[in-house]
Amino acid sequence: MADRKNLDRLAEKLLDTGKRNKLINFKDTKASSAEVIYPDCETVFSKCAEGKVFEIYDPKIPDEDLDDIDTEQSEGSEEDNKEKRLSRSEYRDHYLPRIRSDKYLLVYSQTPNPLTAVKNIAKKAKEIQD
């Protein structure tokens, strides 16, 4: 029932065509945009419909520690954030072979750490929903 209320509220917001409607007037910015590049959207939606929960793959965590560390605590240092930015295809080619579980999403952002962009998106989503 709560899901239906959320969908109804989002539908009402879509009807608002004003410039303040973030659902229609989306601006792609480095700090608040991220793209799921693995798995494909069909897989993500079907798994979500089954109730599956995903984690965002954090490239800063060594491979052997993936199952033991909470990704929200991995911010990376300032030095890490100054590293060379990879293109979307370079990022995919570099990190996709490291994902060994179907519980992870590989997310690309133009920021050095895609988790920063995802956290910004979550923060803005919470503000909009409140």
Side-chain angles (χ1 to χ4, degrees), residues 64-123:
E64 63 273 4
D65 295 337
L66 278 178
D67 292 330
D68 301 331
I69 295 178
D70 182 17
T71 57
E72 290 203 20
Q73 294 178 0
S74 176
E75 291 285 335
S77 67
E78 272 187 49
E79 206 170 287
D80 290 338
N81 290 336
K82 291 180 183 175
E83 73 184 27
K84 178 190 167 208
R85 292 186 184 135
L86 300 175
S87 71
R88 182 186 182 278
S89 60
E90 291 171 330
Y91 186 85
R92 180 184 172 96
D93 293 345
H94 186 74
Y95 291 112
L96 188 56
R98 297 179 182 191
I99 297 177
R100 295 186 184 98
S101 171
D102 66 348
K103 71 178 183 178
Y104 292 105
L105 295 176
L106 183 60
V107 177
Y108 176 75
S109 173
Q110 291 189 15
T111 60
N113 186 351
L115 289 177
T116 303
V118 171
K119 288 177 184 178
N120 289 338
I121 293 167
K123 182 180 174 183

Side-chain angles (χ1 to χ4, degrees), residues 3-65:
D3 290 336
R4 181 66 185 173
K5 285 182 181 180
N6 286 338
L7 287 174
D8 289 342
R9 193 173 81 246
L10 288 173
E12 286 176 25
K13 286 184 178 185
L14 278 173
L15 295 175
D16 174 15
T17 59
K19 293 207 180 245
R20 292 182 355 185
N21 185 338
K22 303 280 188 203
L23 295 172
I24 294 176
N25 297 307
F26 172 76
K27 291 187 180 177
D28 188 11
T29 64
K30 288 182 183 181
S32 62
S33 298
E35 176 184 1
V36 176
I37 57 176
Y38 175 81
D40 61 42
C41 64
E42 256 183 53
T43 304
V44 171
F45 284 116
S46 66
K47 298 283 185 181
C48 286
E50 296 170 4
K52 182 168 175 89
V53 177
F54 292 97
E55 292 181 33
I56 296 172
Y57 175 79
D58 186 351
K60 305 290 185 209
I61 298 176
D63 293 339
E64 63 273 4
D65 295 337

